[in-house]
Amino acid sequence: MAGGDDLKLLGAWASPFVTRVKLALNFKGLSFEDVEEDLSNKSELLLSSNPVHKKVPVLVHNGKPICESVIIVQYIDEAFAGIGPALLPSDPYERAIARFWAAYVDDKLVAPWVQSLRAKTEEEKSEGLKQTFAAVETLEGALRECSKGEGYFGGETVGLVDISLGSLLSWLNATEVISGTKIFDPVKTPLLAAWMERFSKLDAAKAALPEVDRVVEFAKKRQAQAAAAAAASETK
Amino acid sequence: PWKAMHDPATQIWTSFIAHEQKRDQHQSSKQHGGPTMAEKGVKVFGMWASPMAIRVEWALRLKGVGYEYVDEDLASKSDALLRHNPVTKKVPVLVHDGKPIAESTIIVEYIDEAWKDGYPIMPADPYDRAQARFWARFADDKCNAAIFPVFTATGEAQREVVREAQRCLKTLEKALEGKKFFGGDAVGYLDVVVGWYAYWLPIIEEVSGADVVTDEELPLMKAWFGRFLAVDVVKETLPPRDKLLALNKARREQLSA
């Protein structure tokens, strides 16, 4: 790591967006201070580093804050260009394709999936899942194209899209434990199922991804809290 | 020419021609090892009233890159557009030497990198680049969502959504402090991304009867509007005001019906 670089990650262990930044830092071989925020009691540092959204993750590099997980990952790739592997390809067209699919993961997969997890009605939940699965199918095709026969969206090595999607793995596994639903079905999306296996085995991934059991517990607790809140508001 | 290609018989014929051309191109590219004359060049699939599409034009013109503009009928999209962007089927799409890219902000970054020796659109420093991307995302996610209700709301409800839109824009305005443009002394990435506000917002204001960007509430933004609209590549590309006004009036009526 370059001499004198101070890297602090303001995060929350359960957040896949925080995991995303950890993955990038790990793949680059960069050491950082992992600051766990209490999101119900946010630190002064977090509030002053991200005054616009007040959210995690925030990467503080030599005192300067960078916000938004995909932006942080690109920043890490650019600010530490000489160190570790490149997270984005060097060809402009391939970079554009990587950025497109990274944005797609958040807009078309994560968004409806979160909707289904937070859904208050069965209808909302199944609509969210329907959109999630449609996005997964499209990503299967994207993986086929982008990998060019190799193991990752980035080709031979892990790239931006692998990191964006990979950050979700503990939650994907947790969803399977809780509801029995496999988001990356090995029959329907064999490439993604294989990719998930392969990615999970990488040291950088193992170090960044939260334990599935912990996520399951966390998700169940949150669901219970949401149900209690809904019940309470109905009995008014 | 695009409109003529929409009846089924013509479609079959044109797709046959396209297939034959592709076959010939493939064979000749085997010989010459690259895209043929038919594929080379820059094409923009857009729509004359689309603020997302105009970003792409601004970026290309800043670089001095010539392009062919294909104006899409969004109610009846061309086969070419659907072929080039099967995932979201939206405009704008940039096709460079036969290779398509979708999503306007991604296209703008691509243009900056593909013609890297031309006008610098993105800042050079990684931290500044992160800031520019942050504000672009903020504008597209938060400000646009706050502006849209202004377009359709009326009465007291409108006053509230105007205040919300102003709050959002005031936050964005911070990125302008002490500078002529978001990019500094000259237009940069963030100007290209949010520049459409300078032309479209006054139209939205006129159509909906609301005052959003005023000298009192958003002085820096208002001043920047004037400077941005005076930039050559912007002046050259803006759609006719009366046409855009009429379209937005009609849309507002549709949405309120």
Side-chain angles (χ1 to χ4, degrees):
Chain A
M1 188 168 113
D5 275 294
D6 179 70
L7 284 168
K8 247 195 266 283
L9 174 61
L10 308 182
W13 70 267
S15 161
F17 303 106
V18 173
T19 302
R20 196 171 277 176
V21 179
K22 287 184 184 171
L23 285 166
L25 290 164
N26 288 353
F27 280 113
K28 281 294 239 182
L30 298 165
S31 42
F32 60 97
E33 187 189 338
D34 189 0
V35 179
E36 181 70 16
E37 285 282 335
D38 174 0
L39 297 182
S40 60
N41 185 20
K42 293 171 181 175
S43 72
E44 264 312 304
L45 180 59
L46 174 59
L47 296 175
S48 62
S49 301
N50 190 359
V52 174
H53 302 297
K54 304 175 174 52
K55 285 184 174 175
V56 292
V58 178
L59 183 72
V60 187
H61 182 203
N62 294 336
K64 295 189 345 182
I66 302 108
C67 310
E68 299 291 308
S69 64
V70 178
I71 292 173
I72 297 171
V73 172
Q74 292 189 77
Y75 172 79
I76 289 167
D77 195 44
E78 293 171 7
F80 297 96
I83 293 162
L87 301 178
L88 270 93
S90 52
D91 173 69
Y93 184 72
E94 289 180 24
R95 291 162 75 82
I97 298 301
R99 286 174 178 142
F100 176 87
W101 289 116
Y104 186 88
V105 167
D106 282 346
D107 296 341
K108 304 292 184 187
L109 176 80
V110 174
W113 184 27
V114 167
Q115 187 204 320
S116 76
L117 292 173
R118 292 189 183 157
K120 297 193 175 81
T121 65
E122 266 309 307
E123 208 185 291
E124 253 184 56
K125 183 174 171 184
S126 67
E127 179 55 39
L129 278 176
K130 191 170 125 206
Q131 287 180 28
T132 306
F133 281 115
V136 170
E137 231 183 271
T138 303
L139 283 167
E140 174 83 359
L143 179 54
R144 186 177 303 114
E145 267 181 53
C146 297
S147 61
K148 303 188 183 46
E150 300 291 342
Y152 301 100
F153 284 92
E156 285 176 350
T157 55
V158 160
L160 177 69
V161 185
D162 301 283
I163 288 171
S164 293
L165 197 56
S167 64
L168 309 174
L169 292 193
S170 299
W171 278 88
L172 290 174
N173 284 317
T175 300
E176 190 183 336
V177 171
I178 295 173
S179 68
T181 314
K182 259 190 180 2
I183 307 273
F184 291 175
D185 185 327
V187 174
K188 296 194 189 127
T189 53
L191 294 178
L192 280 172
W195 169 88
M196 190 166 160
E197 270 286 314
R198 187 179 304 126
F199 189 87
S200 321
K201 295 201 173 97
L202 298 169
D203 288 334
K206 286 195 273 196
L209 286 162
E211 301 247 343
V212 177
D213 297 334
R214 235 185 139 192
V215 175
V216 169
E217 205 187 300
F218 178 86
K220 280 186 175 164
K221 208 160 80 173
R222 261 240 289 252
Q223 274 176 349
Q225 281 171 344
S233 65
E234 270 166 46
T235 56
K236 277 203 191 112
Chain B
W2 289 103
K3 290 219 160 112
M5 292 183 189
H6 290 168
D7 79 289
T10 321
Q11 274 180 350
I12 294 167
W13 182 241
T14 53
S15 66
F16 171 77
I17 299 268
H19 174 80
E20 294 295 293
Q21 277 180 341
K22 244 192 150 159
R23 191 200 59 190
D24 294 337
Q25 281 167 9
H26 179 67
Q27 287 177 340
S28 57
S29 70
K30 272 201 224 165
Q31 291 167 341
H32 303 292
T36 62
M37 283 309 286
E39 270 186 36
K40 257 197 157 342
V42 180
K43 250 188 186 152
V44 177
F45 287 81
M47 188 263 177
W48 67 271
S50 161
M52 307 294 126
I54 211 169
R55 290 171 173 172
V56 176
E57 290 198 86
W58 290 338
L60 288 167
R61 283 174 188 250
L62 285 169
K63 294 286 190 182
V65 172
Y67 58 94
E68 183 193 333
Y69 188 88
V70 178
D71 190 21
E72 286 283 330
D73 172 0
L74 298 183
S76 177
K77 292 172 181 176
S78 72
D79 290 338
L81 172 62
L82 298 176
R83 187 170 23 97
H84 287 310
N85 185 9
V87 177
T88 67
K89 305 177 174 51
K90 287 182 179 178
V91 293
V93 175
L94 179 81
V95 182
H96 183 199
D97 291 346
K99 301 202 292 197
I101 300 141
E103 294 300 305
S104 59
T105 55
I106 291 174
I107 297 171
V108 172
E109 285 213 47
Y110 170 79
I111 289 167
D112 196 41
E113 293 174 3
W115 287 276
K116 61 175 163 50
D117 296 327
Y119 184 98
I121 296 176
M122 289 292 285
D125 175 71
Y127 185 75
D128 295 336
R129 293 158 72 86
Q131 293 308 299
R133 287 171 179 144
F134 175 87
W135 288 118
R137 183 92 193 270
F138 177 78
D140 271 358
D141 287 354
K142 306 289 182 192
C143 295
N144 291 3
I147 287 164
F148 185 73
V150 172
F151 185 61
T152 52
T154 52
E156 187 52 54
Q158 191 188 69
R159 270 181 277 279
E160 185 45 52
V161 297
V162 166
R163 272 194 287 270
E164 185 51 44
Q166 287 172 332
R167 255 190 294 257
C168 244
L169 291 170
K170 279 179 189 186
T171 304
L172 179 62
E173 203 183 41
K174 294 197 178 111
L176 207 43
E177 274 164 16
K179 299 189 284 187
K180 273 178 73 180
F181 296 99
F182 287 99
D185 288 330
V187 159
Y189 172 74
L190 190 51
D191 300 278
V192 170
V193 171
V194 304
W196 70 279
Y197 292 163
Y199 196 66
W200 268 256
L201 272 181
I203 288 176
I204 291 170
E205 287 171 342
E206 193 176 320
V207 162
S208 62
D211 285 318
V212 182
V213 180
T214 62
D215 289 313
E216 301 78 40
E217 295 296 328
L218 289 152
L220 298 182
M221 190 141 291
K222 190 102 194 279
W224 168 78
F225 275 13
R227 285 193 289 274
F228 186 77
L229 293 172
V231 171
D232 283 337
V233 306
V234 175
K235 282 194 293 197
E236 288 163 8
T237 47
L238 293 174
R241 198 177 195 276
D242 52 352
K243 215 176 155 196
L244 193 59
L245 187 66
L247 177 71
N248 280 284
K249 271 199 177 123
R251 249 199 218 135
R252 185 171 194 255
E253 265 156 50
Q254 259 182 347
L255 291 166
S256 315

